[in-house]
């Protein structure tokens, strides 16, 4: 896919993300908490997630019929296609059902070797983040860049908390102990895609989370990279992140080594 084709496709995906975001916002106004389903302990889904995904997938299939899908609610549908859409129709579901910010729509496209484009629409602040492999990173039409903070003591760090507390506790508690009091601030916002975009926009310096899906990180990861940041697994490897997303550290690049050192010798229990 050449630059002109990818730019045109990016514009269409931006429009779709805004349409899906409008659906989420309108549904939030009349949302019924009794319609929430629990996929597993503390991991929620609603009809809003499902309907948003149906709408997004149908439109993406029209835009690029030769692409497979990795989508949070409907799973993986791939059969050797040259491209793959990676979709989270509602990232931040727990925030959404409790009427908290942020929550967003996340749509990414990759080929067999790299991410090609990413669009994240954060509904609560009406913020559209996007980038493709040929472009800079943008927020509502304005170019964004990561921060230049280079000392951990001055860094604002985001942490992700997975639903699987039994496996995650022995990993995240030591990280909190290592960072709390040694960084400017720690925050947990509840939407990986939005938070990675916030690192891209220079609002935070880094973010750590494990046990998340590729739909959580794929679109936002290319936005971050095009804004000058870095994304890797816990060993510093960048490959296969858009396939699994299982271990993810994102940063402004200047603090990446320090963040990797923070999790040194820590692993999530299998």
């Amino acid at each position: 896919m050449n630059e002109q084709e990818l730019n045109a496709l990016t514009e269409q995906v931006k429009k779709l993300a805004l349409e899906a975001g409008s659906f989420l916002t309108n549904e939030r106004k009349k949302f019924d908490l009794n319609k929430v389903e629990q996929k597993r302990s503390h991991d929620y889904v609603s009809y809003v997630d499902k309907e948003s995904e149906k709408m997004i997938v149908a439109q993406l299939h029209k835009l690029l019929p030769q692409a497979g899908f990795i989508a949070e609610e409907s799973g993986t549908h791939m059969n050797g296609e040259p491209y793959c859409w990676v979709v989270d129709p509602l990232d931040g579901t727990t925030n959404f059902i409790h009427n908290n910010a942020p929550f967003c729509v996340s749509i990414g496209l990759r080929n067999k070797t790299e991410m090609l484009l990413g669009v994240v629409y954060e509904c609560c602040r009406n913020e559209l983040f996007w980038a493709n492999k040929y472009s800079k990173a943008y927020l509502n039409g304005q170019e964004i860049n990561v921060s230049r903070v280079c000392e951990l003591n001055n860094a604002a760090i985001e942490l992700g908390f997975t639903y699987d507390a039994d496996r995650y506790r022995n990993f995240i508690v030591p990280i909190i102990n290592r960072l709390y009091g040694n960084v400017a601030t720690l925050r947990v916002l509840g939407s990986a895609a939005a938070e990675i975009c916030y690192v891209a926009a220079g609002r935070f310096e880094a973010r750590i989370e494990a046990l998340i899906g590729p739909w959580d990180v794929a679109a936002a990861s290319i936005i971050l990279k095009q804004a000058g940041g870095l994304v890797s697994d816990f060993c510093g490897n960048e490959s296969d992140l858009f396939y699994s997303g299982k271990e993810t550290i994102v940063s402004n690049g200047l603090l990446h080594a320090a963040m990797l050192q923070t999790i040194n010798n820590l692993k999530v229990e299998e």
Side-chain angles (χ1 to χ4, degrees):
M1 190 177 300
N2 63 36
E3 182 174 357
Q4 183 178 3
E5 292 170 331
L6 190 56
N7 286 338
L9 185 59
T10 302
E11 290 302 311
Q12 292 172 306
V13 176
K14 287 163 60 180
K15 292 178 182 178
L16 176 56
L18 289 172
E19 291 174 8
S22 178
F23 169 75
L24 298 183
T25 301
N26 289 332
E27 290 300 317
R28 178 52 258 178
K29 295 174 183 177
K30 55 185 179 182
F31 186 72
D32 183 355
L33 193 60
N34 293 319
K35 294 183 178 180
V36 173
E37 302 172 29
Q38 188 163 286
K39 294 189 285 188
R40 54 186 76 83
S41 180
H42 304 122
D43 188 15
Y44 304 102
V45 66
S46 75
Y47 73 94
V48 179
D49 303 66
K50 295 176 180 179
E51 289 304 314
S52 176
E53 183 168 296
K54 288 179 183 178
M55 176 178 64
I56 292 169
V57 168
Q59 292 300 315
L60 291 177
H61 183 69
K62 292 178 182 179
L63 291 178
L64 198 64
Q66 65 271 38
F69 285 89
I70 298 174
E72 180 172 18
E73 305 309 331
S74 58
T76 300
H77 303 276
M78 297 177 61
N79 190 27
E81 295 90 347
Y83 302 104
C84 179
W85 294 107
V86 189
V87 177
D88 194 335
L90 172 49
D91 186 51
T93 298
T94 302
N95 284 348
F96 178 88
I97 65 177
H98 290 283
N99 201 19
N100 288 322
F103 56 84
C104 63
V105 176
S106 176
I107 304 172
L109 177 69
R110 65 167 174 83
N111 59 23
K112 293 185 177 181
T113 60
E114 63 181 343
M115 291 300 302
L116 299 177
L117 72 83
V119 176
V120 174
Y121 178 60
E122 203 285 275
C123 304
C124 305
R125 297 177 65 161
N126 189 28
E127 292 188 332
L128 183 68
F129 298 87
W130 66 272
N132 66 49
K133 66 173 291 185
Y134 299 112
S135 76
K136 301 291 186 179
Y138 294 92
L139 163 57
N140 290 348
Q142 299 296 316
E143 184 180 338
I144 55 174
N145 294 282
V146 295
S147 80
R148 304 307 298 169
V149 172
C150 58
E151 295 181 358
L152 202 57
N153 186 57
N154 297 322
I157 308 296
E158 297 170 302
L159 300 177
F161 279 56
T162 182
Y163 66 88
D164 195 344
D166 290 338
R167 291 178 62 194
Y168 206 54
R169 184 177 289 107
N170 290 337
F171 170 76
I172 196 64
V173 171
I175 289 177
I176 294 171
N177 289 336
R178 293 176 185 186
L179 291 175
Y180 185 56
N182 296 311
V183 298
T185 188
L186 292 175
R187 291 290 185 268
V188 179
L189 303 184
S191 169
E195 292 172 57
I196 295 170
C197 289
Y198 293 170
V199 176
R203 298 172 184 171
F204 291 85
E205 277 64 58
R207 185 183 191 275
I208 300 174
E209 188 172 5
L211 302 182
I212 55 177
W215 46 81
D216 293 305
V217 302
S221 69
I222 187 171
I223 295 169
L224 176 75
K225 288 181 179 180
Q226 299 305 98
L230 290 178
V231 54
S232 77
D233 65 16
F234 293 166
C235 294
N237 302 313
E238 295 186 52
S239 61
D240 294 335
L241 278 172
F242 46 82
Y243 289 100
S244 70
K246 182 179 177 182
E247 300 178 347
T248 307
I249 290 183
V250 305
S251 78
N252 64 355
L254 299 174
L255 290 173
H256 211 78
M259 296 308 299
L260 289 170
Q261 183 61 36
T262 297
I263 64 165
N264 188 38
N265 297 323
L266 293 177
K267 284 291 181 183
V268 179
E269 295 182 2
E270 295 295 332

